[in-house]
Amino acid sequence: AQTVTQSQPEMSVQEAETVTLSCTYDTSESDYYLFWYKQPPSRQMILVIRQEAYKQQNATENRFSVNFQKAAKSFSLKISDSQLGDAAMYFCAYRSRNSGAGSYQLTFGKGTKLSVIP
Amino acid sequence: DTGVSQDPRHKITKRGQNVTFRCDPISEHNRLYWYRQTLGQGPEFLTYFQNEAQLEKSRLLSDRFSAERPKGSFSTLEIQRTEQGDSAMYLCASSSLTGILYGYTFGSGTRLTVV
């Protein structure tokens, strides 16, 4: 079974600065997807960025980028020019790309609570 | 397209009572998922539907839990004889057949408190 580990329960960043959230995962599969989701307080979870494991290029979405290290099974999220609206819980998630049982499940880490200091 | 809707947003119930939650997915999404999120944890998979067929169930889904998706549209999740350990946020998500590449669209969840 796949596992996702987020080792930082809480992080803080000064507004306009850069912060990196860590995520490691364990899998025996070679083809999969990785995601970062943001969950603001009392609001729905939204997709921030995704990475396909067969792509070597790191994904980027505006101020959000990832550092995907497949061999190390590491998938960190970098938030540049942090804004007050970035304050939220951030979850790293894994999904298998293979068809079959369990392939449609997202496996989440425990999350990192990000605070943005004005 | 108003996103994934869940009802109610909050539910307080006494131990032993039955509760039912509803999820309305994005209309063109044929896949629907239920997750449970307890305090300090990430969401955990409960079950998955493709159209009206329930294709996967987690071992977390005990006999007291039942989910349905009649006609492949909205879905309901029922918990019978609720226990305090059922207190959690219940999240619904949906995706299209091809849109899975882009992750799922989540609803705002139903927060259940069992007293």
Side-chain angles (χ1 to χ4, degrees):
Chain A
Q2 295 81 21
T3 59
V4 177
T5 302
Q6 293 181 250
S7 59
Q8 305 153 315
E10 294 187 30
M11 292 280 286
S12 62
V13 62
Q14 206 77 28
E15 195 176 2
E17 296 296 308
T18 295
V19 64
T20 298
L21 308 184
S22 301
C23 172
T24 59
Y25 57 94
D26 188 25
T27 183
S28 58
E29 299 177 328
S30 59
D31 205 4
Y32 46 86
Y33 300 102
L34 294 166
F35 304 91
W36 278 99
Y37 279 89
K38 170 185 177 182
Q39 189 178 41
S42 301
R43 294 184 62 186
Q44 70 189 97
M45 194 170 301
I46 58 174
L47 179 65
V48 174
I49 198 166
R50 68 177 181 95
Q51 176 80 40
E52 291 153 88
Y54 66 87
K55 291 186 177 179
Q56 291 187 341
Q57 186 173 8
N58 289 323
T60 299
E61 289 286 344
N62 300 315
R63 298 182 295 107
F64 299 88
S65 61
V66 299
N67 183 4
F68 174 48
Q69 301 289 327
K70 191 173 184 179
K73 297 179 182 176
S74 170
F75 182 60
S76 61
L77 174 70
K78 185 171 83 171
I79 306 174
S80 304
D81 185 26
S82 297
Q83 301 175 0
L84 294 177
D86 295 334
M89 284 292 291
Y90 286 82
F91 292 96
C92 178
Y94 172 103
R95 190 186 87 81
S96 171
R97 200 178 181 201
N98 299 322
S99 60
S103 60
Y104 300 110
Q105 299 177 25
L106 284 173
T107 300
F108 286 88
K110 290 187 176 183
T112 296
K113 183 179 181 181
L114 178 66
S115 301
V116 180
I117 303 166
Chain B
D1 177 4
T2 57
V4 177
S5 300
Q6 291 189 247
D7 184 67
R9 290 293 303 274
H10 303 275
K11 178 72 177 179
I12 300 174
T13 190
K14 291 183 178 179
R15 190 175 54 182
Q17 297 293 304
N18 299 344
V19 294
T20 300
F21 311 140
R22 177 180 171 123
C23 171
D24 286 87
I26 292 173
S27 56
E28 62 266 27
H29 285 182
N30 62 347
R31 292 179 174 174
L32 186 147
Y33 316 82
W34 284 98
Y35 283 77
R36 183 176 72 182
Q37 185 178 18
T38 54
L39 204 60
Q41 303 292 321
E44 296 172 291
F45 172 78
L46 290 179
T47 190
Y48 150 66
F49 289 85
Q50 182 164 309
N51 300 314
E52 66 276 8
Q54 187 175 20
L55 297 186
E56 283 188 45
K57 290 196 294 186
S58 163
R59 65 183 186 283
L60 293 176
L61 214 67
S62 75
D63 291 344
R64 297 185 297 105
F65 288 70
S66 63
E68 295 182 342
R69 194 185 181 195
K71 304 178 183 178
S73 55
F74 71 92
S75 175
T76 59
L77 177 67
E78 182 184 16
I79 309 174
Q80 295 182 330
R81 305 181 303 282
T82 51
E83 302 172 356
Q84 287 189 324
D86 297 330
S87 295
M89 175 77 84
Y90 290 84
L91 297 170
C92 177
S94 69
S95 72
S96 63
L97 209 62
T98 53
I100 186 60
L101 295 176
Y102 302 96
Y104 306 157
T105 301
F106 281 86
S108 298
T110 293
R111 182 169 294 283
L112 173 67
T113 302
V114 181
V115 296

